[in-house]
Amino acid sequence: MPARHALTDVEAGPGSPTCPQTGQAEASVSVPFRYADVPRFTRFSDVLDETRYVPVPDTWWIALCDVVMSTRAIEDGRYRSVNIAGAALITAVKNALPGADLPFVFGGDGATLLVPPEHRDTVEAVLAETVMWVREALGLDLRAALIPVAAVREAGRDLRVARYAASAHVDYAMFSGGGLAYADAAMKRGLHAIPAAPAGAKPDLTGLSCRFEAVPARDGLVLSLIVVPGEGADREAVLATLGAILAEVDASPGMGRPLPESGPPMRPPWSGLAADSRAEGTLVGSRVLRVAAMFLTRGAAFALFSLGLPFGRFSPRRYRRRLAANADFRKYDDGLRLTVACPVATADRIETRLALAQKAGLVRYGVHRQDAAVVTCVSPSVLHDDHVHFVDGADGGYARAAAMLKRRP
């Protein structure tokens, strides 16, 4: 999970890869691997530099989940529940393994984590509990799998990880080698599936929340975008196309950041209270007590954030600034996944460039335009600056872009 050390850009150090991925021949790792030792970089465009990526050992595991029929749920107005379901696994694993530094990625309607062998059994139990909780609390079907990295390489793919520092306090994992795409396809075929835990099971979801208002686009729109390489496409040409897309985003106001520097406003305490109380369960056997307790807690938080007044060591203004700085709105997994705010003209240029690249066989893509962004938070302690925040489009974002991508030949 995110590290709390000082932010520095990096050069390739001892043990860092010095050549692009070349497949299974480079897969084995002969020295002990710790994600905490993977060098961090501070320019997002460096995700396209394949020398930044370090091979993940065969002995590690890929834990992943996604919401079945997520697009339909979003069309029914349940995008918030879909995002909560997607972030639940990351939160639950973080709480089950405090202090463990594990690579993860939020996908809007699902999540993926890399797991060392010593934590495999714990994560399997958390996966099963999360599947049951999503079913009972949110009324959604969450499929889950735990796939050995060795299976990825046996299938002729690779799995490498890099570490992008979004701020001085938080970094996010980026991936190359095609391993996560293979794992996602395997999960959807039912391979390595993790069944639900017994009824009533619930993981520890302390810190998981969605208490902030949607953030309207400033002078434009919010564009959710997924771009993946075309089958057999020239790698250098693909990277050039992705670099051009990132350059367009970087040239837009605020470099595409969908949240203001001051952070988003908090939702009123009654917003979503009934649904959230069902997700939390009862308090001493009473749903009324649960609703009342949640309302009082949220009312106090709403007052603090609205007034911006510090309370003890907690500063609402500092928290919201850190929220904006730590936000996860850009990802890379052999392709780009972005939710960015930009002018309409920028979105038009991006789509025109992508259409030409797709016609040339270089990429496949899905996009979705909306007028706001939403944020889902994982913040076990408001007194620390390493809280993480996952940004998605307010009208389905990544899930709708993925649906468009699937429809393309």
Side-chain angles (χ1 to χ4, degrees):
M1 298 283 170
R4 295 183 194 168
H5 45 76
L7 176 62
T8 56
D9 203 358
V10 299
E11 300 295 334
S16 299
T18 57
C19 59
Q21 63 191 46
T22 58
Q24 195 167 349
E26 291 186 275
S28 298
V29 179
S30 59
V31 295
F33 174 85
R34 291 196 325 140
Y35 178 60
D37 294 335
V38 175
R40 305 162 84 225
F41 56 88
T42 59
R43 291 185 309 175
F44 185 78
S45 60
D46 283 346
V47 297
L48 304 180
D49 179 0
E50 293 183 339
T51 67
R52 299 281 188 174
Y53 293 81
V54 176
V56 179
D58 285 353
T59 55
W60 279 49
W61 296 77
I62 305 168
L64 66 166
C65 66
D66 76 345
V67 175
V68 179
M69 304 293 289
S70 59
T71 303
R72 178 175 296 178
I74 290 167
E75 289 172 349
D76 292 340
R78 306 193 61 203
Y79 70 86
R80 183 167 173 267
S81 292
V82 169
N83 279 175
I84 287 288
L89 177 62
I90 295 171
T91 309
V93 170
K94 182 180 177 70
N95 289 331
L97 297 169
D101 200 8
L102 305 182
F104 63 83
V105 61
F106 170 72
D109 63 349
T112 302
L113 298 98
L114 301 188
V115 182
E118 64 269 24
H119 295 319
R120 182 208 178 281
D121 292 346
T122 298
V123 172
E124 180 177 7
V126 169
L127 272 170
E129 291 169 349
T130 304
V131 171
M132 178 52 69
W133 177 79
V134 168
R135 180 184 302 171
E136 293 185 330
L138 303 179
L140 297 170
D141 184 11
L142 189 75
R143 60 188 156 205
L146 194 56
I147 299 173
V149 172
V152 168
R153 296 201 169 100
E154 289 169 4
R157 306 291 183 91
D158 197 8
L159 183 58
R160 291 173 171 253
V161 64
R163 197 164 187 166
Y164 164 65
S167 74
H169 307 282
V170 164
D171 47 68
Y172 294 103
M174 306 287 144
F175 302 93
S176 72
L180 293 196
Y182 168 83
D184 182 69
M187 176 182 67
K188 290 175 179 175
R189 296 199 307 270
L191 301 178
H192 308 281
I194 300 298
K202 180 186 175 182
D204 181 358
L205 298 175
T206 301
L208 176 62
S209 68
C210 190
R211 298 300 309 136
F212 292 93
E213 295 276 14
V215 179
R218 305 178 299 278
D219 302 321
L221 52 83
V222 171
L223 184 71
S224 292
L225 170 67
I226 300 176
V227 189
V228 299
E231 188 70 30
D234 178 76
R235 188 66 180 166
E236 292 303 318
V238 170
L239 292 176
T241 298
L242 300 183
I245 299 303
L246 290 180
E248 288 278 7
V249 172
D250 286 347
S252 63
M255 297 180 68
R257 292 185 174 275
L259 306 182
E261 289 186 9
S262 59
M266 179 165 273
R267 298 162 60 203
W270 55 84
S271 177
L273 185 61
D276 290 346
S277 68
R278 287 194 297 272
E280 287 292 331
T282 59
L283 183 65
V284 196
S286 171
R287 182 75 66 192
V288 173
L289 285 177
R290 168 61 67 191
V291 172
M294 290 182 69
F295 182 79
L296 290 174
T297 301
R298 290 181 175 195
F302 182 74
L304 284 175
F305 274 90
S306 297
L307 296 173
L309 299 176
F311 181 76
R313 292 192 297 137
F314 174 65
S315 167
R317 292 178 179 172
R318 177 185 176 90
Y319 181 88
R320 287 173 57 185
R321 289 195 300 271
R322 292 291 180 265
L323 187 162
N326 294 353
D328 173 35
F329 66 99
R330 298 176 291 189
K331 317 167 198 295
Y332 183 82
D333 170 20
D334 292 301
L336 294 176
R337 296 174 183 267
L338 312 174
T339 291
V340 294
C342 63
V344 174
T346 299
D348 289 343
R349 287 195 299 272
I350 289 173
E351 290 201 50
T352 297
R353 187 182 294 274
L354 288 173
L356 292 173
Q358 178 169 272
K359 187 175 181 180
L362 295 178
V363 301
R364 295 169 55 245
Y365 72 96
V367 297
H368 185 64
R369 300 186 182 202
Q370 54 245 295
D371 58 10
V374 292
V375 61
T376 301
C377 308
V378 180
S379 184
S381 173
V382 296
L383 297 179
H384 295 150
D385 288 337
D386 60 350
H387 37 92
V388 300
H389 305 274
F390 304 121
V391 178
D392 200 358
D395 184 38
Y398 288 125
R400 289 189 184 269
M404 177 181 178
L405 176 63
K406 291 174 186 175
R407 292 193 299 266
R408 294 188 180 279

